[in-house]
Amino acid sequence: MRTFLLTLAGLAIGGTALAGLVFSGALNRSVVSRTVETPLTAEQIKALAPQGAKVAAAADCYACHTARGGAPWAGGMPFETPFGVIHATNISPSREGIGGWSRAEFHRALRDGIAPGGRHLYPAMPYTSYRGMTEGDVDALFAYMTTRTPMPVGNAKNGLAFPFDQRWTLAAWNFLNLPASVAEPNPERSELWNRGRYVTEALGHCGECHTPRDLTQGLRTSKALTGAVIEGLEAPDITPAGLTHMGFSAASLATFMGSGLSAQGAATHQMFDVVHFSTRHMDRADLLAMAAYFFDRDALTDEAPAVLPEPAPVAADVAARAQATYAGLCAGCHGAMGEGIPHVSVAMRGNASLRTASPSGFVRAVLAGLPAQSFPDGERMEAMPSFAADLDDAAMADLTNWMRAEWGGQAPTVQTRDVAAVRATLTTRHAAGD
Amino acid sequence: MTALPKPQTLSLTVNSKPVSMPVPQGVSMQEFLHEWLGLTGARMGCGQGICNACTVMVEEPGKLPREVRTCITGAHWFEGKTVRTVEGHARQNADGSLTLSPVQQAFVEGFAFQCGYCTPGFVTAATVLIERLRAAPVPREAVERVVSEALDPHICRCTGYVRYHTAVRDLVLATPGLVTA
């Protein structure tokens, strides 16, 4: 009882102190300079908007701020977080969106996470990453967004439990997780590398999915880009070691981001949206810069084509059962030798999904299926059926182990419980095999 | 040149008849039906699992029937299974005449198909739907939706969709036990 009272008193004092700090503004650390208090002229906005379109594509604003089938930029896309559901907001220049926002207010929202009126944004909006954007790019984005068609669409209510629905508490979150300053160009690295870092970290905000998070959901920067689980799926390790392990080279990575397809397979799940709404619209120079940064290189040189991994040994009974499954259900589209069919289905030989540390992305694709996907230049991959009703956990584990070993060179360590964990995330529709 | 695939015995039931014979590994179910059994009703359309002209019914005891695409599924996957192709729906009478299944009759009466290439797939889909509704009837207001969902994966190049849909919907509504009160 005594401990309980002390804890309660501690919490009350702590809470009051926190509230005091928040309301005194002591926790606010803005990176926005005073120069943006001067409004942009109509001519400036017109001149900056085309550059802003490129910034919006690289920063992937549309993917989150447009619900599938919804009005452009009008928000409404739901996000499952450990604290509840958050909806992306309307950012078209309407009354419900950013209509009437000043240049300075836009800068503050994007880089400090604070909307007009001092309203804190939830960090589902990646302002911790956008904080590193240059003043010029934010101006260009402001010019582009304020010249979109206003969409009079109201914002959806968030489903957050107390105390996460209390926006003022985010001042404390920001104090813990928002960097006080932003990365300056590293003079010891090349212009290519520095541009790559800027596009990757400030604009592309790749770390928001590929960097693991701590208990407060802040990014663990010491583990940057080493992979994380997001909405039940693994965003793989994209450090140089992780990318190499998946079979990527800098050149093939740039191709993958630009087209969604490479010898390593097709972009699927959330990464398809990233390619579809963002990276395929980026300049080739920026894709190459990102590839250089991801592989920590100052310059890109011609590379020999990646060598496919040697098959790993698999128990004969596992291989026999898996080969029967593969011949029955997979070979019709992916080929008897895992070679795939151009414009229909990806090759499985050397496919990155068979080489990631976790098999969850592969298992999810097989059990739940994938929708048909369109890629640049008329390229397309057909829908993958769901096989949840055809394959039980043991059969799926055998298939995964054999394919990962045969075409991914990975030791067969997948257990039936790994499959069961992925199956638990499927909807009843997938489980019924419809 | 690779060696010919090794034959492996395949035993299954097709249209109520047991079948058992050596079949090379890697042969698709559709090739098997066409080339080994002479059942050419399950049509080769896209060969990529998209058009569903090639589907057959798989019936397993204790389970609801399912539609399976034969163009992308290996013949040996059907080992031990019970399969109904479009040739297995009509009933042959003692005098040698045929009585169409209710679905086939509804398609004829409703002028549902034109060239007929996709029809085996639509017969399969509609029959699977009706068998499933017999096991789990749906409210009257859900009929349009379940019919759409069942026929949706099937492609008809003559665009006979409306008449297929109407024929199946009317059959579902007219058949006792498929719709709850």
Side-chain angles (χ1 to χ4, degrees):
Chain A
M1 190 65 194
R2 191 179 147 80
T3 322
F4 173 74
L5 282 175
L6 275 176
T7 311
L8 204 66
L11 277 176
I13 294 167
T16 315
L18 180 62
L21 278 172
V22 167
F23 291 112
S24 69
L27 298 186
N28 286 344
R29 292 176 300 189
S30 179
V31 289
V32 176
S33 81
R34 295 231 165 245
T35 51
V36 301
E37 311 249 322
T38 314
L40 295 173
T41 63
E43 289 72 28
Q44 283 174 312
I45 288 195
K46 195 175 170 190
L48 281 170
Q51 167 62 13
K54 291 187 172 191
V55 175
D60 204 8
C61 312
Y62 191 92
C64 291
H65 283 284
T66 305
R68 301 297 169 263
W73 308 109
M77 184 85 168
F79 292 89
E80 300 274 354
T81 77
F83 311 115
V85 177
I86 296 179
H87 293 92
T89 52
N90 187 337
I91 57 165
S92 76
S94 66
R95 197 166 53 82
E96 298 81 359
I98 62 161
W101 285 26
S102 72
R103 178 190 179 192
E105 285 169 334
F106 188 81
H107 275 259
R108 287 268 284 157
L110 218 65
R111 300 182 71 197
D112 293 343
I114 299 173
R119 184 172 59 95
H120 279 277
L121 302 181
Y122 287 110
M125 159 77 178
Y127 59 85
T128 43
S129 297
Y130 293 158
R131 194 165 178 81
M133 281 170 70
T134 63
E135 206 163 275
D137 276 354
V138 179
D139 276 341
L141 187 58
F142 177 66
Y144 177 68
M145 290 313 310
T146 50
T147 49
R148 297 307 88 206
T149 307
M151 294 293 168
V153 178
N155 288 307
K157 199 168 155 37
N158 293 325
L160 293 171
F162 183 84
F164 307 112
D165 58 342
Q166 302 294 305
R167 286 180 181 265
W168 63 270
T169 59
L170 288 161
W173 189 92
N174 288 341
F175 185 73
L176 292 173
N177 295 307
L178 193 59
S181 59
V182 295
E184 294 294 327
N186 183 341
E188 288 171 17
R189 303 305 302 258
S190 68
E191 204 177 308
L192 183 75
W193 184 94
N194 275 299
R195 175 67 186 169
R197 182 176 70 169
Y198 175 73
V199 176
T200 302
E201 295 193 347
L203 296 178
H205 60 282
C206 307
E208 298 280 343
C209 290
H210 288 276
T211 297
R213 291 174 185 274
D214 61 21
L215 273 181
T216 71
Q217 292 296 298
L219 293 174
R220 291 169 65 191
T221 45
S222 64
K223 299 262 183 196
L225 305 181
T226 57
V229 174
I230 182 151
E231 291 180 320
L233 277 172
E234 186 209 24
D237 179 342
I238 52 169
T239 61
L243 287 166
T244 306
H245 192 82
M246 284 192 282
F248 280 106
S249 62
S252 58
L253 181 64
T255 301
F256 181 81
M257 290 189 293
S259 67
L261 291 167
S262 68
Q264 290 69 30
T268 55
H269 300 124
Q270 291 102 324
M271 193 62 201
F272 174 76
D273 284 353
V274 173
V275 171
H276 190 72
F277 294 111
S278 176
T279 53
R280 66 178 276 184
H281 306 287
M282 287 168 62
D283 291 338
R284 175 105 183 127
D286 276 347
L287 294 174
L288 291 171
M290 284 175 86
Y293 175 69
F294 275 125
F295 278 90
D296 199 25
R297 304 236 183 93
D298 282 310
L300 292 178
T301 48
D302 288 341
E303 311 159 343
V307 182
L308 289 174
E310 284 294 311
V314 193
D317 59 329
V318 172
R321 290 193 299 266
Q323 281 171 305
T325 303
Y326 186 84
L329 297 181
C330 317
C333 294
H334 293 286
M337 310 298 285
E339 70 275 22
I341 304 174
H343 322 300
V344 175
S345 44
V346 293
M348 295 317 295
R349 182 179 284 275
N351 195 291
S353 70
L354 296 173
R355 302 172 73 171
T356 48
S358 159
S360 63
F362 171 79
V363 173
R364 168 74 169 252
V366 176
L367 292 182
L370 290 167
Q373 293 177 326
S374 296
F375 296 100
D377 304 323
E379 187 55 271
R380 179 180 166 84
M381 285 292 142
E382 294 302 342
M384 159 112 175
S386 152
F387 291 100
D390 298 288
L391 298 169
D392 62 18
D393 292 350
M396 190 63 215
D398 286 342
L399 179 70
T400 309
N401 275 326
W402 177 73
M403 287 179 73
R404 279 171 66 87
E406 186 71 12
W407 292 321
Q410 304 301 306
T413 55
V414 178
Q415 308 286 321
T416 51
R417 63 169 179 275
D418 301 326
V419 178
V422 177
R423 196 186 293 273
T425 65
L426 303 181
T427 63
T428 49
R429 196 175 167 77
H430 294 131
D434 286 340
Chain B
M1 192 68 195
T2 51
L4 282 171
K6 209 173 72 187
Q8 185 186 334
T9 305
L10 172 60
S11 306
L12 73 166
T13 304
V14 179
N15 299 334
S16 310
K17 291 191 196 103
V19 170
S20 186
M21 59 184 75
V23 178
Q25 290 175 1
V27 163
S28 78
M29 181 59 170
Q30 186 178 49
E31 278 178 282
F32 173 68
L33 290 173
H34 282 227
E35 308 298 336
W36 271 260
L37 300 186
L39 298 172
T40 55
R43 299 274 160 71
M44 169 59 91
C46 65
Q48 301 170 359
I50 300 159
C51 76
N52 288 274
C54 68
T55 61
V56 296
M57 251 171 107
V58 172
E59 296 161 290
E60 292 171 271
K63 285 189 180 175
L64 293 171
R66 295 180 57 201
E67 229 187 321
V68 180
R69 286 166 273 201
T70 57
C71 76
I72 56 167
T73 310
H76 288 94
W77 182 254
F78 292 84
E79 173 70 35
K81 291 188 165 64
T82 299
V83 172
R84 200 190 321 178
T85 69
V86 73
E87 291 90 345
H89 287 260
R91 200 180 62 236
Q92 186 150 29
N93 303 313
D95 63 357
S97 65
L98 286 176
T99 301
L100 294 180
S101 78
V103 167
Q104 289 172 316
Q105 190 63 39
F107 285 174
V108 171
E109 286 170 10
F111 295 100
F113 51 88
Q114 294 172 54
C115 85
Y117 203 82
C118 64
T119 311
F122 275 93
V123 169
T124 305
T127 308
V128 166
L129 172 69
I130 284 170
E131 293 300 318
R132 287 182 164 231
L133 290 176
R134 215 182 291 286
V138 295
R140 198 178 177 84
E141 59 271 21
V143 168
E144 289 276 350
R145 180 177 55 79
V146 297
V147 171
S148 293
E149 284 175 358
L151 304 186
D152 196 39
H154 290 261
I155 291 176
C156 167
R157 290 286 72 159
C158 311
T159 67
Y161 299 110
V162 173
R163 288 185 174 184
Y164 274 129
H165 187 283
T166 309
V168 178
R169 182 198 60 201
D170 291 351
L171 178 63
V172 168
L173 292 173
T175 307
L178 306 186
V179 177
T180 55

